Amino acid sequence: AMAHRLYTLVFPMDEQNGRVLLGMKKRGFGRDKLNGFGGKVEVNETIAEGAARELAEESGLEAKSMKQCGLLMFYFENDPVAMEVHVFLVHKYEGTAVESDEMRPQWFGIHDMPFKQMWADDSLWWPYVLKEQKFVGQFWFKADQVTVTREKLSAVDSL
Ligand code: 6U4
Ligand code: NA
Ligand code: NA
């Protein structure tokens, strides 16, 4: 299989108000896009620990209950290393969202997502989140990080 690197992507959910916390990425990979919180999994931690750490670093929220909802592979033209992204929902958390060096947090209605400002794949798999259906996907991007040239997406029973 192709070389890949592990990442997390975490979405804090406010179920009472039907909202999800996104962050405007202020620097680095995916800059100027709205997305969940996350980053590279470090060598000394589990994937779930990495997810909770990145959420805390980037949003100020402390995860109290976290569930994996998806597994995504991203392939970028001219990049030999694929991204393996573990997607989590956080239904219980402590703290208040605060702006970090990396992210400017903002709540959105779960049925009113700003897909035009998000990665192109997000509008394709977000419906699975709404249905509480676990999913796996593969997306091939051009080097422009915008154009999807090929995609595979399906529901799964377990991750
Ligand atoms: P540094 O700056 O090295 O500390 P780090 O926070 O570890 O970075 P980062 O932010 O570059 O890592 O990680 C990339 C983030 O972007 C992860 O949360 C995964 C997410 N991501 C990458 N491609 C994506 C895509 N096509 N769709 C999507 N999220 C994507 O929804
Ligand atoms: Na990050
Ligand atoms: Na990181």
Side-chain angles (χ1 to χ4, degrees):
M2 189 177 173
H4 60 276
R5 181 162 198 173
L6 284 180
Y7 291 83
T8 58
L9 181 62
V10 185
F11 294 90
M13 309 291 284
D14 166 10
E15 285 177 322
Q16 236 167 2
N17 298 298
R19 297 187 307 171
V20 58
L21 189 69
L22 302 178
M24 172 55 73
K25 192 94 161 15
K26 294 162 63 176
R27 66 172 191 208
F29 190 78
R31 184 182 164 172
D32 292 335
K33 286 182 166 78
L34 284 163
N35 203 358
F37 303 87
K40 299 173 195 77
V41 178
E42 292 176 358
V43 290
N44 59 333
E45 65 186 3
T46 64
I47 295 171
E49 285 167 354
R53 176 185 51 74
E54 291 280 354
L55 178 67
E57 287 177 4
E58 296 182 355
S59 80
L61 298 186
E62 190 187 335
K64 291 292 165 187
S65 148
M66 202 168 57
K67 271 193 201 147
Q68 188 168 359
C69 64
L71 179 57
L72 299 171
M73 295 289 296
F74 299 117
Y75 309 95
F76 291 90
E77 187 183 36
N78 303 328
D79 188 343
V81 184
M83 300 179 83
E84 177 178 323
V85 180
H86 293 249
V87 188
F88 294 87
L89 302 179
V90 165
H91 291 286
K92 282 188 201 160
Y93 54 82
E94 283 179 1
T96 305
V98 291
E99 184 166 348
S100 61
D101 289 350
E102 185 157 332
M103 285 288 215
R104 187 165 55 250
Q106 192 183 342
W107 291 97
F108 291 89
I110 59 170
H111 298 289
D112 191 21
M113 298 290 280
F115 291 125
K116 289 197 182 91
Q117 296 179 78
M118 299 177 75
W119 283 96
D121 50 285
D122 294 22
S123 65
L124 303 175
W125 52 259
W126 188 252
Y128 290 82
V129 173
L130 297 179
K131 284 185 289 189
E132 297 183 44
Q133 170 65 64
K134 293 189 177 78
F135 56 93
V136 295
Q138 293 172 285
F139 297 89
W140 286 260
F141 278 86
K142 284 201 174 177
D144 64 9
Q145 301 182 2
V146 173
T147 313
V148 176
T149 55
R150 183 179 169 208
E151 63 184 69
K152 288 186 183 178
L153 181 62
S154 53
V156 292
D157 290 333
S158 62
L159 286 164

